[in-house]
Structures are given as C-alpha cells and as structure tokens.
Amino acid sequence: VTSTKEVYLEIPMTEDAQVLDEVVVRPQINKKQPMNPMALTGGRVINMEEASRFAGGFDDPARLVTSFAGVAGNVNTNALAIRGNSPAFTQWRMEGVQIPNPTHYADMTGLGGGLLTGLSANVVGNSDFYNGAYPAEYDNALSGVFDMFMRTGNNEKYEHSFEVGVWGLDVASEGPISKKNKSSYLINYRYSFSGISDAINGADEGLDYQDLSFKLNFPTKKAGTFTLWGIGLKDKILQKYEEDASKWESIADKQENTNYFTKGVLGLGHKIFLKNDAYLKTTLATSYSGLDANVDQVDDDRQLYQMADIQNNETNFMLNSYLNKKINSKHTNRTGITVTGINYNFDYKISPEPSKYEPMNTISEGSGFNVAFSAFSSSVFNLNKYFDASLGITGQYFTLNNHWAVEPRAALKWKISPGQSLAFAYGLNSVRGRMEYYFVKTPETGDELINKDLDFSKSHHFSISYNKRFSDNINLKIEPYFQLLYDIPVEPGTSFSILNYNGAALDKKLVNAGKGKNYGVDITLERYLNNGWYGMFTGSLFKSEYLGGDNVWRNTRMDRGFILNLLAGKEWVFGQQKNKTFSANIRLSYQGGDRYTPIDEAASLEEHKLEYDESKAYSLQLPNSFTSDITLRYRINKKKVSHEFSFMILNANGFRQTGYRYNLITNSVETVKGAPIVPSISYKIYF
C-alpha cells in the first residue's frame, strides 16, 4: 500500500458447504493456482507487482517468467524456451485472443523473442502463465501460453505517473470517464531515448522504439460491461556499414541494415451475466504485424548490392466468444468458439550467397485471405472434498490446406490435505506454421508451393504436479513431465527440423515426418513476500531430443540440461512517518549452454564464411552460463505525490557467452565472446 495509488483487489470465491461454529478470515496468497478456474494445474498466476520486484524482471512480463522453473532465458533476448521447446511455439494472448508477440524488435535475434516488452507494467494486470498441459480453451500452441490481461483504470479518482530513465520516457494516466456510470480509462505511452536523441541531433542510425497501450471500461446496468483496448508498437533499426575497409572483420561490417517493425492490436470486449449462474464473454479484435527489412552490402569499390528484401504484412480479424455456466455446485462448463480471418501479403527475397554477391532469389511469396476455426468445451467437476477433475476437447480447422485437428485435454487433482495436493494432466496440442512457410519456393521447383500441404505440428503432453504448502507464505512444487512431439516439419534426408529453426527466412521443402521428446522435472520452493522479504529457488533437470529428416535422434538446440535460479529481495520501511521504503533484489542464474553444430573449418576457409557439419547437428554445447541481476528501489510517499528512484542491471557479473564467426582479415574461424551488461536508471513520480 502506497500513497497516490489506490490498491484494487479482485477476490474470487468457490462455493462450499460446511457446518461451522465460527469463521476466521485471513489473507492467503495462492500463486500456484491460475486465475482461470478451468485450469486445475499446469500454470500459475503472475502478479505484476512481482515484475517490478524481481531482479531480472526489468518490468518485462516475459523476462519475469524466466525465473520460473522450466523456462530458459537469455540476457540478449526475452525469448521463452519452455521445457526444451523453441520460443517460437509459445502463444501470447491478450484479453482472451491470440496476439502477435508484443515485444520490441520481435524475432530480430531469433524467433519468439525480442529486446523488451511493448507492454508497460503500468497497464498489465494479473495474468496466467502455462508451461504444462493447459485447458481446452487454449489452442494453436505447442510449448506454453502467456495469457495476459490489462488492468481496469481507477473509476473514482485520477492517478498519473511520469518516468524518465536511461531507456526513455514513460507516461501513464488513469481515472474515471464518468463517476456516475463507473466508467474509466487507462493509458500508457513510452518513447525511447535513442529516438529522442536522434530527433534532436538529426541522426539516422541506431535503435528507436515507441509503444502505446490503453483500456477503456464501460459498465452498464443491464447490457453488461464493454471494454475497448489496444496496444501498438513501432520500432526502427538503421545500421550503416563500416566506412574503414581495414576494419571489415566479418560480412556484417560490410552491410547496411534498414528495418522497420510495426505491430498493433485493437479489441472490443463484452461481458454480460446471464441470471446468477452464467456469463457470456465476447471479444472482437484485429491485429496487424508488419516487417520491412532490407540488407545492402558493399564490395571493395564501395558499390552497394541488395542482399535481402523482406516484406511481410499480416492482418488478423478475430472473434472469440464463450459461455461460462455453473451447472450446479459440482460442475462448471465453459464452451466457446474462435474464428480468425488471416489477410496476408509477403515477399521474401534473399541472396543465397551474400559473401559472393549473388543476386537475390524469391524464396517465399504469397497474398490472400484464409480462415482458422476453433471450438472447445471444457468442464470442471468437484467430485468430492478431495478430488477435482477437468475434461475438455478442442478442435481446429485451417482453410488454407483443409487440415484439421482434434485435441482432448484432461486433469485430475487430489487434495490430500488443506496444504497438500497431487495433480495429473494430459493434453494433445497442435500448432499451425507461420504463413510464409506454406508459400516457400525453390529455383528447382519454380512457382510450385512445395509446403502448402503442411499439417499441424502436434504433441502429447503429460505432467504430474505435487504441491506442499508449509505455511501461508512457503510453498513447494515438484513437476515431472513428458512431452512427445510428432508430425514435426523436417527436411527429408537432412538433420533439419523446425523444432530448432531460428532464422528469418525459411527456404526448405518440408514434410511432417519429424518427432521430438522433452522430459524432466521442475522444482520450485518459494517464500512469498511477508515481513518485508521474499525468496524463491527454482531448479530444472531436463532432456530435449528430436528426430530429423534423416531419421536420426539428436539433441535439440534448446537442450541445456539444467537451469537453476535463486531470487531474494528485502524491503525496509523507515522515516519518522514510515513513508520511505528501500528495496534490494537479486537473482542468480546458472544454466547449461545452448547446443550448436560443429563448424567445418575446411569448407569455411574455402567459402570464406561459416560452414557447418550438419551430420553432427547440435552435438556440441556452449559453456554453462552464470548471470546475476540486481534491482534497487527507493521510494518516498507523500500525501499527494510519490517519488521513486530505481536502479536495475542485467548480467551484473559481466558473463560473456561464446560464439563463432569467420574473420575476413585473418581468413580463419575465430571464437568471439560477448553479452551485454544492461543497466537502467530511472526516476518516476506518481501524482
């Protein structure tokens, strides 16, 4: 509880009949249980207050969850590699509909990740994160789901904040639109300091980003509650080639990059209660994702040649609606549909040999409109005071190639005692490919769309979850799991599998003949914030393997083997009026390195670029990484204004990851090490 910012709590209740002599009400944090009542296991609620407390969170929901068991992160990106799966298979949702990855510079350093979130902690409310077998209403995801919700603005008083820091400006405001009707608004805008500096100095190089998010809430007396919400991101990367030819150590030094990223989502939501035992929730939304990327390369005479030209524009029109009905005190059902219209227009032109200045080929080109349908029904049963069960089914249909999938889901939870439970969950999951994968062309096949008939990638996911609550603030969770993936797109006769793919432009003929296996155990021991301090230890031991197009089992790129995280934080309250707080938070992370393919040095010397021995794909592993993150905050609470000073740093110990490149000066393969130390200093005023 602070000044200038009211605390808003939603407290859901579950019906239960007991004969009691007296009732004692105490607060209890149940973070191990998702907000979605249809989920008995497989996820947890994310309190966004944690995003500002946890070191390494960087006010980014994606970076926050890398502290959880089974989720691997990286200093360079906020990509989520869940239980050995590629970050590309994680689904992002907002207000009940699937959205593009809401991250600045998404997919720039690898599919599924970016630099930092486009959603400020000022607007994101409590959300659910799933890393296991999730309920039937979630489809088109293979590894995990991040189901996010925006806060509702204060409908009684106006609250504002202004933040200035190393990364840029952040302005937020919320308050009533009509106090009589209880309507409210919430808005947040951010602009990078690099963009401000470029505007002042007239520079035209570097990274610029900005984002806007908002939510308008309109409750009515009889027609339900209407919400209008949206998010938008705009990013720019301009990088010029090195002017001094004597410093051309790699091909990247000779290249000029111009990249523009644009993303936006606009949604209209409606929720209405039907009598006392049901409600209908409907969302109409549209999303846009645009990429304009160009790479030019100079030769020794400073002549520019275009090596890449990627244009990708996709607009989705979405209708999501479900009916949640309490059949009786022991049975709740949720049934719904989602219809997604996909309008796409893309053209991928890439040079097959940039080192030889070969002209570009069109590797993927398409435009049109297709529809993805899905429907689900899920029920939760309170069998008795000891057992709860969940049964559900979902189905998908894709009009592009008329493929469909039916996916059953089930869970059983045994409440051994008030503080102890054991749950089992199973889910069959499937996911579509990216639209450009279906329209791949090759010089040999001409205009034939060699991948248009690709089927869904699928997986069986089994998990067991044991929970033991030692007290109101201390909880232990142990989760063994096994995931069997099949119908995975692979390239026939090679080690290639889409499970490992991390590039910007796919140019391969694929068939659904691949497989994969992920298995391991996740452990979480957590002490929730109480008496000014919290702590959490998470550990994961796992194995991730795949079967490529050559029918050989190998380690996947994400097969790190283990992940260990230790988090702790302490908050002190002081001052004559107890109006000042200082908090110190630290995170220590130790994990295995990513797998990589051995370099063929003879072929590299001949081609003057890195060439790999694909027959030994991902047989080597980078060194283990140890990183430390720190967050310090000092806050002064006044009656009408509050001041907050923050210092955050990622990779405080300066760990440097190993990599390889071909050096054009020495004509040799060399080892390079690097990983940034990322600091952030900011001042924020609340009023």
Side-chain angles (χ1 to χ4, degrees):
V1 178
T2 65
S3 66
T4 71
K5 187 73 176 175
E6 287 191 339
V7 176
Y8 175 76
L9 299 175
E10 281 192 8
I11 305 174
M13 294 184 290
T14 302
E15 179 179 337
D16 195 12
Q18 301 283 345
V19 178
L20 304 171
D21 293 325
E22 65 175 342
V23 174
V24 178
V25 178
R26 298 183 300 166
Q28 177 181 315
I29 302 170
N30 190 20
K31 297 179 185 177
K32 65 180 183 294
Q33 181 65 36
M35 294 192 305
N36 189 332
M38 309 308 292
L40 298 182
T41 184
R44 61 167 289 164
V45 63
I46 307 298
N47 185 322
M48 288 314 300
E49 185 182 8
E50 294 177 341
S52 61
R53 290 184 182 274
F54 282 8
F58 233 61
D59 292 336
D60 183 342
R63 290 188 183 273
L64 168 67
V65 300
T66 60
S67 299
F68 298 154
V71 185
N74 193 299
V75 176
N76 298 309
T77 175
N78 65 357
L80 305 177
I82 302 172
R83 292 181 170 177
N85 286 288
S86 167
F89 295 129
T90 301
Q91 183 186 117
W92 297 82
R93 293 169 70 94
M94 175 62 71
E95 298 290 326
V97 295
Q98 183 175 352
I99 64 172
N101 185 346
T103 299
H104 288 292
Y105 311 108
D107 300 336
M108 183 183 72
T109 58
L111 296 181
L115 184 59
L116 72 162
T117 182
L119 289 164
S120 169
N122 291 322
V123 299
V124 180
N126 289 351
S127 304
D128 283 343
F129 177 72
Y130 297 93
N131 62 351
Y134 24 85
E137 68 185 88
Y138 300 110
D139 59 9
N140 198 37
L142 213 58
S143 65
V145 176
F146 206 151
D147 193 7
M148 299 183 293
F149 296 89
M150 286 190 181
R151 289 194 305 109
T152 299
N154 194 325
N155 60 15
E156 295 182 353
K157 60 179 293 188
Y158 294 100
E159 298 174 345
H160 317 285
S161 68
F162 175 80
E163 183 176 13
V164 58
V166 170
W167 288 82
L169 302 177
D170 188 316
V171 182
S173 179
E174 63 182 285
I177 297 175
S178 169
K179 292 185 178 181
K180 179 181 178 181
N181 297 325
K182 300 294 185 181
S183 58
S184 65
Y185 75 90
L186 171 68
I187 188 168
N188 192 98
Y189 175 71
R190 299 189 301 181
Y191 194 77
S192 68
F193 253 152
S194 58
I196 297 173
S197 175
D198 289 349
I200 294 174
N201 300 322
D204 197 23
E205 187 174 9
L207 305 178
D208 297 345
Y209 69 86
Q210 55 184 313
D211 55 64
L212 173 71
S213 51
F214 69 91
K215 182 177 182 180
L216 309 180
N217 191 65
F218 301 96
T220 66
K221 292 183 179 179
K222 295 183 178 180
T225 299
F226 294 86
T227 58
L228 180 66
W229 56 273
I231 57 176
L233 296 82
K234 191 173 183 180
D235 306 331
K236 178 178 70 175
I237 305 174
L238 299 178
Q239 180 180 341
K240 297 182 178 179
Y241 65 87
E242 172 59 53
E243 293 283 353
D244 187 351
S246 65
K247 297 181 180 179
W248 289 350
E249 294 186 343
S250 67
I251 291 179
D253 296 329
K254 304 166 66 175
Q255 291 180 340
E256 191 164 286
N257 294 274
T258 306
N259 303 295
Y260 296 93
F261 305 80
T262 306
K263 288 188 178 180
V265 186
L266 181 66
L268 176 64
H270 177 244
K271 183 177 181 180
I272 185 169
F273 285 89
L274 310 174
K275 298 182 179 180
N276 294 320
D277 60 3
Y279 67 85
L280 178 67
K281 186 174 182 181
T282 303
T283 301
L284 282 169
T286 181
S287 67
Y288 172 78
S289 181
L291 170 63
D292 180 356
N294 289 274
V295 178
D296 295 319
Q297 186 171 306
V298 297
D299 61 12
D300 293 339
D301 297 324
R302 306 301 176 95
Q303 178 68 38
L304 277 173
Y305 295 87
Q306 194 170 20
M307 295 291 102
D309 181 5
I310 298 176
Q311 309 293 322
N312 192 336
N313 300 282
E314 183 175 310
T315 303
N316 290 347
F317 305 94
M318 296 164 283
L319 167 65
N320 174 273
S321 184
Y322 67 80
L323 176 68
N324 193 99
K325 181 173 177 59
K326 185 175 183 180
I327 309 299
N328 54 49
S329 62
K330 294 184 176 295
H331 178 199
T332 299
N333 176 268
R334 181 176 291 186
T335 299
I337 63 168
T338 299
V339 181
T340 303
I342 308 170
N343 187 71
Y344 51 90
N345 183 5
F346 51 83
D347 187 359
Y348 284 65
K349 292 184 174 67
I350 303 289
S351 168
E353 292 287 351
S355 61
K356 298 178 181 179
Y357 298 92
E358 290 192 8
M360 299 182 297
N361 293 331
T362 297
I363 63 171
S364 183
E365 181 181 18
S367 62
F369 183 86
N370 290 102
V371 180
F373 297 95
S374 67
F376 77 92
S377 184
S378 182
S379 287
V380 170
F381 303 92
N382 176 223
L383 303 178
N384 54 46
K385 64 183 296 185
Y386 296 108
F387 288 95
D388 292 332
S390 173
L391 289 174
I393 190 166
T394 186
Q396 296 189 72
Y397 175 71
F398 191 28
T399 63
L400 175 68
N401 51 24
N402 297 320
H403 282 296
W404 54 274
V406 177
E407 308 164 28
R409 314 283 172 85
L412 179 66
K413 187 174 184 178
W414 175 26
K415 294 170 284 189
I416 302 171
S417 66
Q420 191 175 198
S421 67
L422 181 66
F424 168 81
Y426 163 76
L428 174 60
N429 311 117
S430 60
V431 65
R432 303 188 304 270
R434 295 166 65 101
M435 286 302 298
E436 62 266 25
Y437 294 173
Y438 296 101
F439 291 84
V440 168
K441 303 176 181 180
T442 66
E444 295 76 21
T445 56
D447 290 332
E448 179 187 354
L449 301 180
I450 56 178
N451 292 335
K452 190 171 183 179
D453 198 44
L454 276 178
D455 202 351
F456 292 91
S457 300
K458 306 180 183 71
S459 80
H460 297 287
H461 203 146
F462 304 86
S463 66
I464 299 173
S465 180
Y466 172 75
N467 270 283
K468 172 65 176 177
R469 192 177 75 239
F470 294 100
S471 70
D472 286 348
N473 301 305
I474 300 178
N475 189 78
L476 172 67
K477 187 175 185 179
I478 303 174
E479 288 186 297
Y481 64 88
F482 177 78
Q483 185 181 19
L484 177 63
L485 302 100
Y486 64 102
D487 285 350
I488 304 300
V490 295
E491 184 181 28
T494 75
S495 60
F496 178 86
S497 169
I498 205 71
L499 296 178
N500 301 305
Y501 187 61
N502 203 33
L506 181 73
D507 60 353
K508 300 178 182 297
K509 176 179 173 58
L510 303 176
V511 295
N512 293 101
K515 296 181 180 180
K517 292 185 292 187
N518 299 311
Y519 50 94
V521 59
D522 296 336
I523 301 173
T524 303
L525 178 62
E526 186 170 8
R527 185 195 192 275
Y528 306 133
L529 180 68
N530 187 45
N531 294 327
W533 75 277
Y534 70 89
M536 182 169 70
F537 167 79
T538 64
S540 301
L541 296 175
F542 64 97
K543 186 67 180 173
S544 179
E545 300 173 296
Y546 81 100
L547 185 75
D550 55 2
N551 218 33
V552 177
W553 282 97
R554 296 180 173 89
N555 305 306
T556 68
R557 178 173 61 87
M558 290 70 60
D559 183 28
R560 294 173 177 262
F562 71 94
I563 306 171
L564 302 174
N565 290 302
L566 180 64
L567 293 88
K570 172 66 177 170
E571 184 175 86
W572 294 268
V573 180
F574 57 97
Q576 290 185 347
Q577 298 178 325
K578 300 295 183 182
N579 66 326
K580 300 177 181 179
T581 60
F582 176 77
S583 63
N585 309 268
I586 189 170
R587 172 191 172 187
L588 304 176
S589 180
Y590 185 57
Q591 55 187 332
D594 279 343
R595 299 279 178 169
Y596 70 99
T597 301
I599 297 171
D600 187 332
E601 294 208 18
S604 299
L605 291 174
E606 183 177 343
E607 297 294 329
H608 300 288
K609 64 175 185 175
L610 291 182
E611 296 285 350
Y612 299 92
D613 184 357
E614 297 295 343
S615 66
K616 301 177 181 177
Y618 305 106
S619 59
L620 301 179
Q621 187 173 18
L622 294 173
N624 299 339
S625 66
F626 175 75
T627 58
S628 58
D629 308 317
I630 297 172
T631 295
L632 304 175
R633 278 197 170 89
Y634 173 59
R635 180 162 179 151
I636 304 172
N637 294 304
K638 300 288 187 178
K639 186 175 182 179
K640 294 185 178 181
V641 65
S642 295
H643 308 270
E644 185 176 85
F645 302 88
S646 299
F647 171 74
M648 294 182 284
I649 185 168
L650 299 178
N651 193 25
N653 60 306
F655 170 78
R656 302 176 68 196
Q657 185 60 273
T658 301
Y660 300 92
R661 71 174 182 178
Y662 188 84
N663 191 308
L664 299 175
I665 296 177
T666 63
N667 287 320
S668 64
V669 175
E670 66 177 10
T671 302
V672 293
K673 289 190 175 183
I677 298 175
V678 185
S680 177
I681 302 174
S682 64
Y683 163 71
K684 190 171 187 177
I685 182 171
Y686 301 84
F687 56 98

